[in-house]
Amino acid sequence: MFTTKNIGDSGEEIAANYLIGKGYEIIERNFRTNVGEIDIIAVHDGFIVFVEVKTRLNDKFGYGADAVGFHKRNKINQVACQYIAKRRLYNQSIRFDVIEVYTEDKRIEHIENAFDSYMRY
């Protein structure tokens, strides 16, 4: 039986493998705090990349990135701040990406710099 969590976990696995294939080093998955979670944290080209993965059957009812609105971006920013502080990774270049995984047609869309940061440590 497929659940939303199964579908999401599957999409995150697909996204992680996609990133590895593009030369990203995955340093953390499903980093959780009391505020929320970041699906994938990776390093690539000198950036710490915080990745939100959105998995859908298809884009018939909208794109996955459309679900990353103001409140979701705000939570991701807050969790990223906590990650940076916990790992003492100050003064690092960071980026926020969104990966859309469409399972029906086996398509991946990688949106680099999907939104801006307002880091506050």
Side-chain angles (χ1 to χ4, degrees), residues 11-67:
E12 288 177 21
E13 189 66 27
I14 291 166
N17 288 330
Y18 167 84
L19 289 171
I20 290 167
K22 293 194 66 147
Y24 287 67
E25 177 189 349
I26 308 295
I27 56 174
E28 191 102 30
R29 290 194 47 190
N30 304 111
F31 177 78
R32 296 183 205 304
T33 72
N34 61 328
V35 174
E37 174 186 346
I38 294 177
D39 296 325
I40 299 171
I41 303 172
V43 175
H44 188 253
D45 287 342
F47 283 86
I48 298 173
V49 185
F50 297 96
V51 182
E52 176 68 10
V53 180
K54 291 297 178 187
T55 307
R56 304 281 187 270
L57 279 176
N58 55 51
D59 59 14
K60 185 175 180 180
F61 298 106
Y63 299 105
D66 294 342

Side-chain angles (χ1 to χ4, degrees), residues 52-56 58-59 61-73 76 96-102 107-115:
E52 176 68 10
V53 180
K54 291 297 178 187
T55 307
R56 304 281 187 270
N58 55 51
D59 59 14
F61 298 106
Y63 299 105
D66 294 342
V68 188
F70 174 79
H71 293 291
K72 183 68 174 177
R73 290 189 310 265
I76 293 168
F96 293 93
D97 292 3
V98 173
I99 293 184
E100 302 170 328
V101 177
Y102 298 100
R107 180 169 48 101
I108 298 171
E109 298 292 334
H110 184 184
I111 305 162
E112 295 182 10
N113 289 312
F115 56 92

